[in-house]
Amino acid sequence: MASRRLGVGVIGSGFNARFHLEAFTGVRDADVLGIWSPNRERAGSAAELARNLDVGPARAYQSISELVADPTIDAIWLCGPNHTRVENVEEICHALARRGSPLLGIACEKPLARNVAEALRVTELVRGAGIAHGYLENQLFAPQLEIGRALLWKRGASVAGRPYLARAAEEHSGPHAPWFWQGQLQGGGVLNDMMCHSALVVRHLLTEPGESLGSVRPVRVTAHIASLKWTQAPYADRLTQLMGSDVDYRRAPAEDFASLTVEFRTPDGRTVLGEATTSWSFVGPGLRLSAELLGPEYSMSWNTLNSGLQLFFSREVGGKSGEDLLEKQNAELGLMPVVAQEPVAYGYEAEDRHFVRAFLGLEPVRLTFDDGLEVVRLLMTAYMSAEQGRTLDFPPAGLESFVPAVARGAWRP
């Protein structure tokens, strides 16, 4: 164990922030001490949740500046909405001037920003402030994915040669909060929201353990986006009823499906492929994360809905809808998979444990803002490819000033 504990402050009080609070039950060297959210009531309830989970004596703060100025807060977990990212990081860095001791770290949820210009801004701010930084990408820390990758490279690639094809997908029926559905706030649709996971997963799988992600370089990108479900009239109307009048997919849609193929170049000059799909139009029990890794004489597959636990409820069993079986649960009857300890299964617990230890100086940071910036570059190239209808060399010209049509409210499927 560490000789000291890390005092953690969380910016955000929504679904993602609460996943992290649950994950901290498995982290031994940290205490969640503070929560800030623009919604004071939700900040208070998130702090209460942290206390009830016994992950720290958390309290709600009145501002980001107050949170950062508190000397007991050693590190910040940045879990707010995409459209507040630059503003939040600016306030963090500004508040450091009134702090007597340095922050040990700042960890930012995916995606790092809505576009390359914003990602460069937050990276430069944090680097200029001299703060250690981490990019929160939970799926790279999912236990089954990590163990499978390690074993396949050790037992398969070492004998038959390196893997040449990785696939990853994240699929569910749609996000929880209205801002996710609004391209101008979120930065796009499902490609920006969830391809950040899958694009990094395929690169991670194709990277030899012990080597940096940069050893497998993206060289060509092909992508497609579509609205398969939520622009259909009855579903567009239902979405507005659920999320409010600001979410109008008849007038300002975002993509609910995206596919991506990346050609990578290995250190020995070989071409390997990463294929990724993401969807808000998936109809199934709930969230499905999946991945495959294939090589000359071996393969690996991962699917979170193959959970090992299933429950069956007949039509005689009624009950309220909820998400007590798995995230984005779509039904309460029939044969249902159960994902036990979702923060563990999806990688949040191992992720948070790693960044706590990294900020305490016990191990090197595995993912930094630079990795998050590279992901945003890849996502924006994917939007470019989809808009132009062709494969693009990576990185294409004009990437730093590019804003997707979806994010400008100009996409018409």
Side-chain angles (χ1 to χ4, degrees):
M1 291 183 65
S3 59
R4 61 168 294 185
R5 300 179 67 79
L6 192 77
V8 174
V10 178
I11 292 177
S13 59
F15 180 83
N16 176 263
R18 290 164 190 260
F19 242 114
H20 281 289
L21 294 179
E22 293 182 21
F24 268 101
T25 60
V27 179
R28 300 180 65 182
D29 302 324
D31 296 303
V32 179
L33 302 181
I35 309 284
W36 177 82
S37 168
N39 185 318
R40 292 187 179 184
E41 183 179 348
R42 287 185 61 84
S45 69
E48 183 180 14
L49 173 63
R51 296 191 300 270
N52 290 341
L53 291 169
D54 200 23
V55 297
R59 67 179 179 89
Y61 284 70
Q62 298 297 308
S63 68
I64 291 175
S65 295
E66 182 189 21
L67 180 70
V68 173
D70 187 338
T72 68
I73 302 292
D74 300 309
I76 301 293
W77 258 239
L78 187 52
C79 304
N82 298 1
H83 57 282
T84 65
R85 187 79 79 233
V86 174
E87 176 187 342
N88 289 167
V89 174
E90 287 176 342
E91 186 171 351
I92 290 169
C93 292
H94 180 72
L96 288 173
R98 298 192 296 277
R99 184 182 167 94
S101 58
L103 275 177
L104 298 182
I106 177 171
C108 182
E109 258 300 334
K110 61 82 193 170
L112 187 65
R114 295 181 294 181
N115 52 59
V116 175
E118 290 187 356
L120 283 167
R121 173 67 175 157
V122 298
T123 302
E124 290 165 357
L125 280 167
V126 172
R127 187 182 290 124
I131 311 170
H133 43 92
Y135 178 57
L136 293 168
E137 174 42 70
N138 58 284
Q139 289 183 31
L140 264 61
F141 294 84
Q144 291 181 321
L145 193 71
E146 278 288 77
I147 292 171
R149 170 179 176 260
L151 288 172
L152 220 63
W153 274 93
K154 179 181 179 180
R155 297 176 62 87
S158 64
V159 175
R162 68 174 306 125
Y164 41 62
L165 176 62
R167 298 189 179 108
E170 180 171 6
E171 304 159 290
H172 58 61
S173 56
H176 289 89
W179 69 266
F180 280 100
W181 296 90
Q182 298 170 257
Q184 291 171 290
L185 295 181
Q186 195 253 101
V190 72
L191 192 156
N192 201 52
D193 179 42
M194 302 204 311
M195 191 67 79
C196 48
H197 287 300
S198 303
L200 191 53
V201 165
V202 295
R203 190 175 188 180
H204 176 62
L205 290 173
L206 291 166
T207 301
E208 184 174 359
E211 298 294 324
S212 70
L213 287 167
S215 66
V216 179
R217 296 184 299 108
V219 293
R220 285 163 60 85
V221 174
T222 309
H224 301 274
I225 62 174
S227 181
L228 301 179
K229 176 178 179 179
W230 292 105
T231 50
Q232 294 184 41
Y235 291 107
D237 293 342
R238 181 187 301 178
L239 189 57
T240 299
Q241 292 170 3
L242 288 171
M243 295 293 166
S245 59
D246 289 338
V247 180
D248 183 354
Y249 269 39
R250 290 175 179 263
R251 178 184 55 83
E255 77 279 358
D256 62 16
F257 177 85
S259 65
L260 172 69
T261 300
V262 183
E263 297 177 35
F264 295 99
R265 192 67 41 81
T266 66
D268 58 0
R270 298 185 185 184
T271 295
V272 294
L273 296 180
E275 296 180 345
T277 59
T278 53
S279 176
W280 289 342
S281 51
F282 171 70
V283 179
L287 170 68
R288 180 170 69 181
L289 306 178
S290 60
E292 294 181 299
L293 183 61
L294 297 91
E297 298 293 339
Y298 53 84
S299 65
M300 177 197 89
S301 64
W302 173 58
N303 186 330
T304 56
L305 294 185
N306 297 335
S307 63
L309 174 63
Q310 294 181 321
L311 301 179
F312 175 78
F313 299 103
S314 80
R315 64 176 63 94
E316 300 302 320
V317 178
K320 295 180 179 180
S321 61
E323 294 184 69
D324 53 338
L325 304 184
L326 74 165
E327 182 186 336
K328 307 297 190 302
Q329 185 175 326
N330 283 330
E332 279 68 42
L333 300 180
L335 189 63
M336 294 289 298
V338 180
V339 180
Q341 294 186 302
E342 288 182 287
V344 177
Y346 302 152
Y348 286 92
E349 182 183 292
E351 168 188 63
D352 288 336
R353 184 183 303 113
H354 162 72
F355 283 108
V356 165
R357 292 179 56 79
F359 292 156
L360 288 171
L362 300 175
E363 56 189 71
V365 178
R366 284 180 55 182
L367 293 171
T368 69
F369 276 27
D370 297 303
D371 296 301
L373 172 59
E374 182 76 353
V375 171
V376 175
R377 287 192 173 112
L378 195 57
L379 298 181
M380 293 305 107
T381 304
Y383 273 116
M384 267 189 171
S385 169
E387 290 183 16
Q388 297 178 21
R390 63 189 182 97
T391 299
L392 297 178
D393 292 336
F394 181 85
L399 203 56
E400 291 188 9
S401 60
F402 175 74
V403 177
V406 181
R408 292 184 279 109
W411 185 60
R412 297 294 178 265

